[in-house]
Amino acid sequence: MTVRAGGIVGQSSPGVDFEATTARPSRRRFLISAATGVLALAALTLRRGFVAPAAAQEPALGPSLRKIGEIGSAGGRLQAVLGTSNIARRLPGKSESIVLRHFWGRDVLTGAMWPPADDREAMNPGPTLRARVGDFVEIKFFNAIDVSAFGDDGIDRGETGKADGCEVTKSFGGDTIYPLSSDVFPNCFHGSSTTNIHFHGFHVSPDGLGDNVLLKLRPNPQLKEDEVGGYFDAIFERTRRGDPPRNWRDLPLDLTALQEEMLAAYDDSATWKGEPGTLPTANRLLPLVKEQVAAGMWPQFEIGAHPFSFQITPFVQPAMAMTHHKGATTQPPAVAGQAPGTHWYHTHVHGSTAINMYHGMAGVFVVEGESYDDKLRVLLPGLVEQVMIVQQYAEFPPTMVESGKIPSLMVNGQATPTISMRPGEVQLWRLVNGSVDAVCKITDFRPRDETTSAPLPAWKQTAQDGVQFDPKTYATRPLQDTFYPLRNFAPGNRVDLLVQAPALAVDGQSAIFDLEIAVDNQSIQPLLTLVVSGEPMAMTLPTEASFPPRPSFLADLPDDEPPIVRTIKFSETSKGPLIDGREFSDGGYDHTMVLGDSEEWKLVNTTNTAAHPFHIHVNPFQVIEVFDPGMPEEHRLYIPPTPRPWQDTVAIPRKKNGVTAPGYVKIRHRFDDFTGSFVLHCHILEHEDRGMMQLVRVIPKASLTRHH
């Protein structure tokens, strides 16, 4: 094996012959796609749609919504090969292709690949994954990025021992644009060829082979799938038996030996960035891995490939728990199961999350279940789903290129795509905000022609962040209340909508509407276009009485004040984006929670620059109070009525000039089922990479000191 520029290099993605994309760019490109102009946010009014003969639809429409390739489960198992590698893509508004990183995937059962071989230059998200509650997730994950393809020594500086590990960008005149004076390694943009996967919205273990965002998988494009596939299959089988590996020593010995061999080759390579000599002692990975394994921890660093192996947590009614426990699984029944709904996955290595997300490294993960999807399909036979992920694409974050403009929003890699529906048809739209920094609000449908008579499409929200509404919440239509402070569609948020196309008065006519969003409360822009035409359909939106009830584990948390109350402050100072006045510190825990405990947290935003989207992994929470200084005075304090929605991401309102008090959100959550280490952070990922993140852990009741 040979080592070059931050990774073991050779062929590209395992199991697929990707074309070579290793040409060095002649220079960094600094221009980011133009953002939309700033407009005043108008009050919502009832509007009517453009009606015209179907043959004369004007103005021109965007492309039909691209359906992203999907890998589904079968027989209770989601079997996939996912990977990261280089790809040549043409960014929006650019005339030439550049080398970026991307997610690719293969369905183990069918062999189908995403992206397809003839569509690699398109701005494609990762493949959509679809499974059911209780299914086993069995993913062979590969990092096949060739670091040498990215040219200069800005990439992977920290990993290769540079004194200043931050990525570096310069102006055409040679002046340093980035890093900023406040950005100091590791809280800066860096190491963008190290990857992992965060399963956002999943109630599973945060350690080991689960939703482990502390994993740092370094690249090895030379590693073949058949070198590790058999070991991974043995791990998957063990997990299905109810006895998943609990630590590094539980893995197949030949697999851990192979990892140690690759780690040693990484550490002892003869050349780094063209400079002779081995890695500095402080940057060598194998000694650190051995130290962590000896301490009973899962090691943070691996090379080339990693298995994700876990069950999507089923909930068993307490009366059935004993019977279930005596069945195939040896795991105790869960206190709170996985909520079925719209979730997603994305890369999540501190310092490189924003760069890789701007390259498109995210995808939708739909979890189906009896309490939600199955019951909606009974209510609405023939229900069509539209799965959509909203993203921004750029070579670098705007902070790195002195750009005040945010990259344009795209849906499934397309600008303002078109969805077709028949009059009266109802569809389920699953929307994921996978952008890096666009805090949005869904406003309403706007007709292309204000003067004609077609009614607006009807739409009702059914779930927030992949967790179904209670029927009473569904009936109140919270997203359509102008003064509802939780109507943000912020980075990390998901909303499920039932959309019904309007009936048209005359056969053969059509109507065109744009679904509009407000970005950062300023810029109103169309997200996608709806075209209504064709034969009418007789479908009816569910009523409150018919809407599926929430399962018992999604009942409201008690109103009694919990024993532990915390205040967590988000701020931006001369030291950069901070939480509780501190930058992120890898290895130092900011909060320790006890398994099964409920806590109340007050999330405070002292800035007037951004509504920071708070996100915590593993367990969702309920919002019990919001103070929004930007609302009219009589609407600033909001107490959500019961039953309360559940969510895992919430935008904390910003301060407003003239209002002394900062914005805040109070949440309650319970730490059920899983001990382990994970993070909370701002989901404006430029802030997270630059320090606005904390390391937290949940420990068993039996011990407040033992590390897990």
Side-chain angles (χ1 to χ4, degrees):
M1 291 185 285
T2 59
V3 181
R4 187 197 314 159
I8 307 168
V9 302
Q11 97 172 28
S12 57
S13 311
V16 58
D17 182 21
F18 283 107
E19 348 175 324
T21 56
T22 57
R24 293 175 181 266
S26 58
R27 62 181 180 182
R28 287 195 179 275
R29 300 166 180 85
F30 300 127
L31 299 179
I32 303 295
S33 301
T36 58
V38 176
L39 301 173
L41 177 59
L44 299 181
T45 57
L46 180 64
R47 294 173 296 207
R48 295 186 173 275
F50 167 59
V51 179
Q57 292 180 1
E58 293 291 346
L61 300 175
S64 296
L65 178 71
R66 176 186 294 125
K67 181 175 175 56
I68 303 302
E70 191 168 291
I71 301 175
S73 66
R77 300 165 63 189
L78 176 69
Q79 301 178 71
V81 179
L82 296 182
T84 60
S85 63
N86 311 340
I87 194 166
R89 281 180 167 168
R90 185 177 294 110
L91 289 169
K94 302 293 184 180
S95 60
E96 59 179 348
S97 298
I98 59 173
V99 180
L100 303 176
R101 304 163 194 81
H102 78 130
F103 276 142
W104 55 267
R106 190 180 81 243
D107 188 325
V108 170
L109 296 181
T110 68
M113 288 291 307
W114 181 264
D118 59 354
D119 195 24
R120 292 180 189 161
E121 280 213 343
M123 304 308 299
N124 287 313
T128 298
L129 306 179
R130 187 181 293 265
R132 293 186 62 83
V133 172
D135 283 355
F136 290 91
V137 173
E138 301 176 354
I139 295 175
K140 301 172 182 177
F141 180 58
F142 292 85
N143 184 347
I145 295 170
D146 179 359
V147 180
S148 67
F150 298 97
D152 63 37
D153 65 354
I155 303 292
D156 302 306
R157 291 173 63 90
E159 279 77 354
T160 57
K162 298 293 183 182
D164 178 1
C166 301
E167 183 119 20
V168 176
T169 54
K170 295 182 180 294
S171 69
F172 290 110
D175 296 329
T176 298
I177 297 174
Y178 189 84
L180 308 175
S181 59
S182 60
D183 289 10
V184 179
F185 186 83
N187 292 300
C188 61
F189 301 123
H190 67 274
S192 44
S193 295
T194 301
T195 60
N196 60 17
I197 295 179
H198 168 41
F199 297 94
H200 187 131
F202 274 62
H203 180 62
V204 297
S205 172
D207 285 343
L209 309 183
D211 183 27
N212 181 2
V213 298
L214 301 183
L215 170 70
K216 296 182 178 179
L217 185 67
R218 294 292 293 145
N220 180 355
Q222 202 171 39
L223 184 67
K224 303 290 198 310
E225 184 180 336
D226 58 11
E227 294 181 73
V228 295
Y231 306 135
F232 289 3
D233 288 337
I235 292 168
F236 300 152
E237 181 181 359
R238 180 171 175 172
T239 302
R240 292 196 303 274
R241 293 200 309 263
D243 183 29
R246 289 168 175 79
N247 54 56
W248 183 256
R249 294 190 178 96
D250 277 352
L251 300 179
L253 292 178
D254 287 345
L255 177 61
T256 56
L258 176 60
Q259 274 293 331
E260 290 190 9
E261 178 185 339
M262 290 189 290
L263 288 162
Y266 179 96
D267 288 348
D268 296 335
S269 170
T271 304
W272 287 103
K273 303 291 185 185
E275 300 172 4
T278 60
L279 277 177
T281 300
N283 297 87
R284 295 170 69 85
L285 301 184
L286 184 56
L288 175 62
V289 166
K290 288 184 175 180
E291 178 183 330
Q292 291 173 332
V293 170
M297 302 167 59
W298 284 97
Q300 274 190 279
F301 287 93
E302 296 177 33
I303 300 281
H306 174 84
F308 290 102
S309 180
F310 57 87
Q311 185 178 26
I312 302 177
T313 308
F315 173 73
V316 181
Q317 296 291 342
M320 301 174 60
M322 187 58 67
T323 302
H324 178 80
H325 187 47
K326 292 179 180 179
T329 180
T330 61
Q331 301 298 304
V335 173
Q338 172 67 52
T342 306
H343 304 289
W344 64 303
Y345 66 95
H346 62 86
T347 181
H348 201 311
V349 173
H350 182 60
S352 62
T353 308
I355 294 176
N356 285 337
M357 286 286 284
Y358 272 126
H359 288 197
M361 293 177 65
V364 181
F365 200 139
V366 176
V367 178
E368 297 181 341
E370 186 274 335
S371 68
Y372 180 58
D373 313 79
D374 293 358
K375 289 186 176 179
L376 283 180
R377 292 188 183 112
V378 171
L379 289 172
L380 297 161
L383 180 67
V384 172
E385 288 187 16
Q386 304 288 357
V387 178
M388 294 174 274
I389 182 167
V390 179
Q391 294 174 287
Q392 299 160 299
Y393 288 92
E395 189 175 9
F396 303 109
T399 303
M400 291 180 61
V401 293
E402 287 189 328
S403 172
K405 299 176 181 178
I406 64 171
S408 301
L409 296 176
M410 304 183 76
V411 182
N412 292 3
Q414 299 170 305
T416 323
T418 299
I419 293 175
S420 297
M421 294 178 66
R422 292 162 58 184
E425 180 183 5
V426 176
Q427 293 186 355
L428 175 62
W429 291 8
R430 300 180 183 268
L431 282 159
V432 175
N433 188 336
S435 72
V436 174
D437 62 6
V439 179
C440 308
K441 284 182 171 67
I442 297 173
T443 58
D444 206 346
F445 285 95
R446 172 185 285 275
R448 286 289 179 92
D449 185 332
E450 300 273 1
T451 65
T452 50
S453 58
L456 290 175
W459 57 284
K460 299 185 73 171
Q461 186 179 6
T462 60
Q464 176 70 35
D465 291 353
V467 186
Q468 69 193 82
F469 277 172
D470 182 272
K472 289 183 179 179
T473 311
Y474 164 79
T476 61
R477 306 171 68 171
L479 274 186
Q480 289 153 286
D481 180 353
T482 303
F483 298 109
Y484 179 61
L486 300 176
R487 44 194 297 264
N488 282 310
F489 180 48
N493 279 144
R494 289 88 69 211
V495 295
D496 286 14
L497 306 176
L498 284 178
V499 179
Q500 183 169 33
L504 301 180
V506 180
D507 290 345
Q509 290 185 323
S510 64
I512 305 174
F513 306 88
D514 291 320
L515 179 63
E516 292 187 328
I517 58 172
V519 182
D520 201 25
N521 281 338
Q522 296 178 348
S523 170
I524 297 179
Q525 58 186 268
L527 184 67
L528 55 87
T529 301
L530 171 62
V531 175
V532 182
S533 63
E535 292 295 320
M537 295 183 70
M539 299 182 75
T540 304
L541 287 169
T543 64
E544 178 181 341
S546 64
F547 191 77
R550 297 192 301 193
S552 60
F553 71 88
L554 291 176
D556 278 0
L557 293 174
D559 286 331
D560 298 339
E561 184 172 313
I564 297 178
V565 178
R566 306 176 195 252
T567 298
I568 301 174
K569 294 183 179 180
F570 290 69
S571 64
E572 293 183 66
T573 72
S574 59
K575 296 181 180 179
L578 309 173
I579 301 181
D580 294 334
R582 303 186 299 273
E583 295 179 313
F584 175 68
S585 176
D586 192 1
Y589 291 104
D590 296 277
H591 305 282
T592 296
M593 296 82 76
V594 176
L595 186 67
D597 278 2
S598 295
E599 295 194 3
E600 180 178 302
W601 293 7
K602 183 178 181 180
L603 311 171
V604 180
N605 182 359
T606 66
T607 75
N608 59 11
T609 55
H612 296 290
F614 165 86
H615 171 55
I616 188 168
H617 296 195
V618 183
N619 293 285
F621 52 79
Q622 291 188 299
V623 174
I624 63 169
E625 185 175 311
V626 180
F627 181 76
D628 186 349
M631 286 285 187
E633 185 172 0
E634 64 272 22
H635 294 289
R636 285 176 188 161
L637 183 64
Y638 178 79
I639 309 296
T642 58
R644 303 183 187 98
W646 292 84
Q647 53 199 104
D648 57 47
T649 305
V650 62
I652 313 169
R654 70 179 77 192
K655 288 184 68 176
K656 185 174 177 63
N657 294 335
V659 180
T660 303
Y664 70 79
V665 174
K666 287 185 180 179
I667 65 172
R668 284 192 184 139
H669 43 172
R670 189 174 58 227
F671 302 96
D672 289 327
D673 300 317
F674 302 105
T675 59
S677 303
F678 49 102
V679 293
L680 64 87
H681 60 92
C682 174
H683 222 289
I684 294 176
L685 297 174
E686 291 193 32
H687 293 170
E688 181 262 297
D689 279 340
R690 297 172 56 221
M692 199 173 260
M693 184 162 74
Q694 290 186 332
L695 183 62
V696 301
R697 62 177 173 176
V698 174
I699 63 174
K701 286 183 180 293
S703 171
L704 297 182
T705 57
R706 181 182 175 189
H707 175 74
H708 283 261

